[in-house]
Structures are given as C-alpha cells and as structure tokens.
C-alpha cells in the first residue's frame, strides 16, 4: 500500500528524470495535493461530528479527483516565476499519485480519478 514516503520516493525520482533539477519542495507539494481533501475530511469530521459521513465522503471524493487537484495545481503555479513548468510538474505528480493509489485497495475499492464527471472507480 503506497504511503506518503513511497509517493515521495517514486514520484521524486520520476520528477527528477523528467524535469531535471527542480525544488524538491514542489515535488512534495505535488505528492500531497490529492491527499489534502482526505486530511480536511478528517478535520471536519472531528470538528463537526454532526455531518452525514456519506455526504461528507462524496464531497471529498470529488475534491480528491484529478480535475479538482489540477485546479489547485494551477492556483499554486500562478504564484511562481515559471508557472507553466510548475503546473506540469505538479500535474504530473498529482496524476502519478492517483495512479499509485489506484494500485491499492481503497474505501469503495478504487480511486475516482474523473469525479465529478465520471464516478467510476479505477483499481489496478
């Protein structure tokens, strides 16, 4: 089961091969972006336990998808001197993260990469 350290190791090596010398902090940001909604879900669930857990889960499934993650990548990239390169770096790491997660059994048995357009789950 890939954890954050596995993501950093695999995606860091792949990012260095594809993008050359980039700041490793940006690689780490790209590795963590798809997990940010799941972290937020735990915070919301702990802070306000009255929310319906299934509705909360569906909301955060959509937020952890490729489309929502790429929007966050674009927002981060706009703040730098080289937005295009950083957007591709972050986008590559987000896609790699989601594909690595699809290699493990998750809640619901897959990753909803294309949510909210398609709710089909990917599992390799």
């Amino acid at each position: 089961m890939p954890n954050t350290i596995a993501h950093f190791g695999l995606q860091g090596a792949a990012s260095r091969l594809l993008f050359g010398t980039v700041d490793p902090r940006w690689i780490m940001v790209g590795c963590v972006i798809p997990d940010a909604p799941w972290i937020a879900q735990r915070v919301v669930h702990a802070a306000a336990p009255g929310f319906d857990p299934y509705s909360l889960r569906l909301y955060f499934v959509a937020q952890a998808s490729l489309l929502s993650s790429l929007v966050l990548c674009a927002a981060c990239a706009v703040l730098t001197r080289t937005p295009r390169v950083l957007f591709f770096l972050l986008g590559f790491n987000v896609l790699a993260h989601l594909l690595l997660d699809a290699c493990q059994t998750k809640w619901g048995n897959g990753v909803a990469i294309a949510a909210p357009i398609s709710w089909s789950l990917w599992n390799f």
Side-chain angles (χ1 to χ4, degrees):
M1 173 161 77
N3 60 15
T4 306
I5 294 178
H7 285 291
F8 289 160
L10 293 171
Q11 293 172 232
S15 294
R16 290 291 176 135
L17 284 173
L18 292 174
F19 294 95
T21 56
V22 293
D23 190 355
R25 292 176 289 189
W26 285 117
I27 296 171
M28 289 182 191
V29 168
C31 292
V32 173
I33 283 177
D35 284 338
W38 301 118
I39 296 166
Q41 176 195 4
R42 290 181 181 210
V43 170
V44 169
H45 188 65
F51 281 111
D52 176 33
Y54 296 107
S55 298
L56 195 63
R57 172 75 63 162
L58 285 175
Y59 176 75
F60 286 109
V61 164
Q63 295 301 314
S65 69
L66 180 62
L67 179 64
S68 296
S69 295
L70 288 178
V71 169
L72 186 55
C73 289
C76 291
V78 167
L79 302 174
T80 65
R81 285 186 224 145
T82 57
R84 185 175 301 168
V85 172
L86 187 63
F87 175 74
F88 286 121
L89 172 71
L90 293 175
F92 167 77
N93 279 297
V94 163
L95 180 62
H97 182 113
L98 292 172
L99 292 176
L100 277 174
D101 280 353
C103 293
Q104 67 179 348
T105 302
K106 299 186 88 52
W107 187 86
N109 201 24
V111 177
I113 291 180
I117 297 166
S118 170
W119 291 95
S120 62
L121 300 176
W122 290 33
N123 191 8
F124 305 126

